[in-house]
Amino acid sequence: MKIAVCIKWIPDTAEKLELREDKKWIATEGIDFTMNRIDQCAVEKAIRIKEERGNEDNIVVFSLGPSEASEGIKMAMAMGADRGVLLTTDEEGWDTSCTAEALASVLESRDFDLILFGHESGDMSNRQTGLRVAHRLNLPCISGIRDLEIFEGSAACKRETEAGLEIYEVKLPAVFTTLGAVLATPRYPSIRGIMKVKKKIIEEIKVNKGTPHLEIVELEKISNERKGEILGDEKKSAVSNLIKKLAKEGLLKGQ
Amino acid sequence: MILVLVETRESEILDLSLKIINYANHLPDFSDKVSGLMIGEKPISIESKIKNTKLDKIFHFQEEKLGHYAPDAYAAVISKVVNDLSPQLVLAPATAQGNDLLPRVASKLGVGMASECLAVKKRENKLIVTKPIFGGSLLADMELRTTPALLTMKPLEMDSENFENQNNKMEIKELNFSLPADVFQLKVGDLEEPVEEGISLSKARKVVGVGRGIKSKEGLEIHQKLAASLGAAMGGTRVAVDNGWIPPDNQIGQTGKNINPDLYIACGISGATQHIVGCQEAGTIIAINNDPHAPIFSRCDYGIVGDLFEIVPEIIEKLK
């Protein structure tokens, strides 16, 4: 089986983010980047599927971005993906429809049985790219799945909704966008895995942005600061103080 | 005109859909009429609820083959209605269904879509949507350039206001058209209840969260006792999940769940952004951590600097 996983190389949102002067993006100097966490979970799932099926399947990781995005591909290969394809661009302002078009045009002749996307990215959180690629490739797609089982020529999945889980059976080839750790907690690459990356191939394809539908006009920081009252560091009095305050605010009812 | 997708859940119109109808009717930059589209089984109190909104028209499409949900069929219905009505905006609730449907419709129509929007406005003749990005630590104003423009929304500060005495002779217009057979291929086969350990996190009024500071799986026990004595649900950070201390369904944060309890007690949690964005809607946040410089202390309402394994038992004792 040929499995494709599409991943995104994004700013690590553990970092404190500052805005660029024109407020149209964040200031990226000195910021750590990482593979979108939910994409890591999708890569992990692909690897587990391969392992469960006797280690004969081929996993190819795709990513669109500047040359640094190859680091995300290397991360996936260290986890166990076999090959990578970097869609290179130095242009800014790629929106989800442009990205989907570029990915689809590269995927379309490659006959994958299974294409996985993370359901949303930690930066823009558009939740569309996988669905748009599926439409462009004329493949069925289920979004937001937490369970995936592969059979001969078909797959069964569980999609998470507010009202419960929807179960689908889908003929392959198909596209799925996945949730995070509830699907698969990603492994840390082994030293052996990291060493093997040197022998693995990353293909590079230059792509052009086209015309985006969505464009950032301005960003604003949201403060999540609160009053942060420290209740003294003597254990018993701090705790008494806390209980009193909580009781006063009516927060201890219904124990 | 503006088209609002009306979602139903448990045979009732989703409150968020009513909020969006209300929001669409109050947009200062738009003088458009607002109509609604419902697909699937008609909700029970449709007559009263819908007729008490300021909708110009309400359309309904039902077909047995749709079952519980059939993504491509629903998308085909919406696309046809959009082609017939030529709305400027299509608004849907930011739910699993809305976020699944609108990208499909946008792809079919070749138009733009933005998800999880808080607001939409016009500025210098441009359509601007406002949405949280980077897990909610930044707010983005984005131009959406196509007509129609599609949005899933969670409008802030808008009630599902009841327009009593509308004197509205509004009828529910039943749509009747056939769809190609292939759009029914993708549909829900079966439904399953979610399996959540303990009290459901998303509904809990009180939550106890654990992070790196509990140090081990054994460290979980005293915190479970705290949760039990408060009648609280348990959650935690990605570190707690990665270490196998709590199940992935109980992860709170950017790649986990968003919670909005009245009370959240963060135990041994440093307060990194990707966790905070999951609990920032909590009414009151308490932090217990032995590192006085932990970022959580400027992101909580009350904090205690100290050893978790001394403070938490003391709290349990005092609660008795």
Side-chain angles (χ1 to χ4, degrees):
Chain A
M1 200 168 67
K2 289 176 67 172
I3 307 174
V5 189
C6 297
I7 66 172
K8 196 174 179 188
W9 185 241
I10 61 168
D12 188 342
T13 48
E15 306 275 327
K16 212 164 173 224
L17 300 170
E18 296 298 330
L19 295 182
R20 207 167 69 183
E21 225 181 293
D22 64 358
K23 292 196 184 163
K24 288 186 190 287
W25 194 230
I26 58 165
T28 53
E29 307 83 50
I31 292 279
D32 279 346
F33 277 62
T34 185
M35 189 198 327
N36 181 34
R37 160 75 175 191
I38 292 181
D39 298 349
Q40 293 177 34
C41 299
V43 170
E44 173 64 28
K45 184 63 181 175
I47 296 169
R48 288 190 199 177
I49 288 172
K50 174 179 173 171
E51 285 169 349
E52 281 160 24
R53 286 166 47 85
N55 264 318
E56 285 173 2
D57 298 328
N58 211 273
I59 301 174
V60 186
V61 168
F62 293 79
S63 195
L64 187 149
S67 54
E68 299 83 64
S70 60
E71 293 303 313
I73 297 177
K74 287 180 191 165
M75 222 169 132
M77 295 198 297
M79 286 167 71
D82 300 293
R83 289 176 57 109
V85 179
L86 177 66
L87 286 69
T88 62
T89 174
D90 284 315
E91 290 176 284
E92 247 187 32
W94 283 76
D95 78 344
T96 171
S97 61
C98 297
T99 304
E101 179 56 41
L103 281 169
S105 64
V106 168
L107 284 164
E108 76 184 325
S109 50
R110 297 181 186 228
D111 288 327
F112 284 97
D113 303 289
L114 183 64
I115 306 177
L116 300 182
F117 285 79
H119 174 54
E120 65 176 301
S121 64
D123 55 354
M124 298 309 295
S125 182
N126 280 305
R127 306 166 194 229
Q128 299 176 40
T129 311
L131 284 162
R132 286 183 179 266
V133 169
H135 179 265
R136 193 38 192 78
L137 296 177
N138 202 20
L139 292 178
C141 178
I142 302 293
S143 74
I145 65 164
R146 56 175 292 146
D147 239 73
L148 181 63
E149 258 186 83
I150 306 294
F151 305 105
E152 274 313 307
S154 71
C157 69
K158 292 185 187 176
R159 180 174 118 86
E160 195 169 274
T161 75
E162 299 87 352
L165 303 177
E166 294 173 353
I167 300 173
Y168 295 83
E169 246 196 67
V170 187
K171 283 205 186 81
L172 299 180
V175 178
F176 297 93
T177 78
T178 76
L179 296 181
V182 291
L183 173 86
T185 306
R187 67 190 64 190
Y188 290 111
S190 62
I191 307 237
R192 201 147 161 256
I194 298 172
M195 297 307 298
K196 275 191 182 173
V197 172
K198 299 186 183 159
K199 298 197 181 130
K200 292 182 180 176
I201 302 167
I202 301 182
E203 189 189 330
E204 281 192 24
I205 303 175
K206 193 159 194 303
V207 285
N208 293 312
K209 185 173 73 177
T211 312
H213 295 312
L214 261 178
E215 189 182 307
I216 294 177
V217 171
E218 194 179 350
L219 299 182
E220 192 187 311
K221 280 175 76 168
I222 300 177
S223 166
N224 39 39
E225 306 249 320
R226 294 184 179 223
K227 65 181 185 243
E229 189 183 326
I230 304 294
L231 299 178
D233 40 33
E234 199 286 295
K235 177 182 75 183
K236 284 191 189 293
S237 63
V239 171
S240 295
N241 210 343
L242 175 68
I243 307 271
K244 267 197 214 114
K245 285 189 194 289
L246 293 181
K248 199 167 166 204
E249 291 177 30
L251 289 168
L252 296 179
K253 282 184 261 188
Q255 278 159 248
Chain B
M1 53 86 68
I2 298 175
L3 183 66
V4 175
L5 298 191
V6 179
E7 188 178 323
T8 59
R9 189 168 305 153
E10 286 164 18
S11 306
E12 280 295 357
I13 295 179
L14 196 64
D15 206 52
L16 182 54
S17 282
L18 294 173
K19 279 197 175 112
I20 293 171
I21 292 170
N22 204 23
Y23 180 77
N25 274 310
H26 282 78
L27 285 169
D29 301 329
F30 300 80
S31 51
D32 298 60
K33 290 207 169 123
V34 181
S35 286
L37 171 62
M38 266 183 313
I39 305 175
E41 258 189 59
K42 262 194 287 204
I44 294 171
S45 54
I46 172 125
E47 304 287 328
S48 52
K49 284 239 169 89
I50 279 293
K51 286 182 176 182
N52 280 334
T53 63
K54 261 173 76 178
L55 278 178
D56 183 45
K57 293 189 178 71
I58 176 85
F59 301 99
H60 177 236
F61 182 94
Q62 167 65 313
E63 152 75 73
E64 212 184 307
K65 282 188 282 184
L66 290 175
H68 177 83
Y69 177 52
D72 291 332
Y74 273 58
V77 171
I78 298 167
S79 303
K80 175 152 185 354
V81 173
V82 169
N83 279 326
D84 291 342
L85 297 178
S86 300
Q88 221 191 115
L89 286 179
V90 179
L91 308 180
T95 56
Q97 189 178 111
N99 285 326
D100 179 65
L101 270 178
L102 253 49
R104 295 176 194 266
V105 176
S107 298
K108 286 166 85 72
L109 299 173
V111 298
M113 185 230 152
S115 66
E116 307 274 319
C117 301
L118 303 173
V120 57
K121 56 184 179 253
K122 275 189 196 157
R123 208 192 281 160
E124 294 159 21
N125 241 340
K126 295 179 182 179
L127 185 73
I128 308 286
V129 301
T130 304
K131 59 165 285 179
I133 61 171
F134 283 97
S137 44
L138 295 178
L139 212 54
D141 271 358
M142 305 189 66
E143 186 193 351
L144 196 43
R145 289 192 180 138
T146 62
T147 304
L150 275 46
L151 286 73
T152 61
M153 295 205 74
K154 273 187 176 147
L156 293 177
E157 296 157 21
M158 186 52 69
D159 301 313
S160 40
E161 196 181 315
N162 233 347
F163 291 89
E164 307 265 2
N165 305 313
Q166 264 299 106
N167 200 21
N168 205 339
K169 296 215 168 64
M170 182 175 61
E171 282 168 20
I172 300 167
K173 190 170 190 307
E174 295 294 332
L175 295 173
N176 225 326
F177 50 78
S178 59
L179 297 169
D182 61 354
V183 303
F184 294 100
Q185 265 167 32
L186 206 56
K187 62 190 262 193
V188 177
D190 211 345
L191 291 168
E192 209 176 275
E193 285 298 313
V195 175
E196 262 196 80
E197 277 186 34
I199 305 173
S200 164
L201 256 184
S202 22
K203 298 183 186 144
R205 304 304 342 132
K206 301 194 199 91
V207 178
V208 171
V210 295
R212 192 186 296 274
I214 71 164
K215 295 199 172 81
S216 68
K217 185 107 194 208
E218 287 68 43
L220 190 62
E221 205 187 310
I222 191 75
H223 296 90
Q224 286 169 323
K225 283 206 181 103
L226 175 63
S229 66
L230 285 168
M234 284 235 38
T237 64
R238 199 175 106 187
V239 168
V241 169
D242 284 351
N243 280 309
W245 299 334
I246 61 170
D249 273 298
N250 294 62
Q251 183 182 327
I252 297 164
Q254 188 178 10
T255 57
K257 294 198 162 80
N258 282 347
I259 60 171
N260 63 345
D262 302 318
L263 175 64
Y264 178 56
I265 306 185
C267 303
I269 291 174
S270 66
T273 306
Q274 343 80 303
H275 176 70
I276 289 298
V277 295
C279 60
Q280 60 193 359
E281 287 176 60
T284 300
I285 298 180
I286 311 296
I288 308 168
N289 196 302
N290 62 6
D291 174 11
H293 301 295
I296 191 97
F297 287 120
S298 60
R299 293 165 165 178
C300 68
D301 297 289
Y302 303 111
I304 299 182
V305 181
D307 183 338
L308 269 184
F309 298 101
E310 285 182 13
I311 304 288
V312 173
E314 181 67 22
I315 297 177
I316 296 171
E317 190 54 45
K318 283 274 157 64
L319 282 173
K320 284 186 187 153

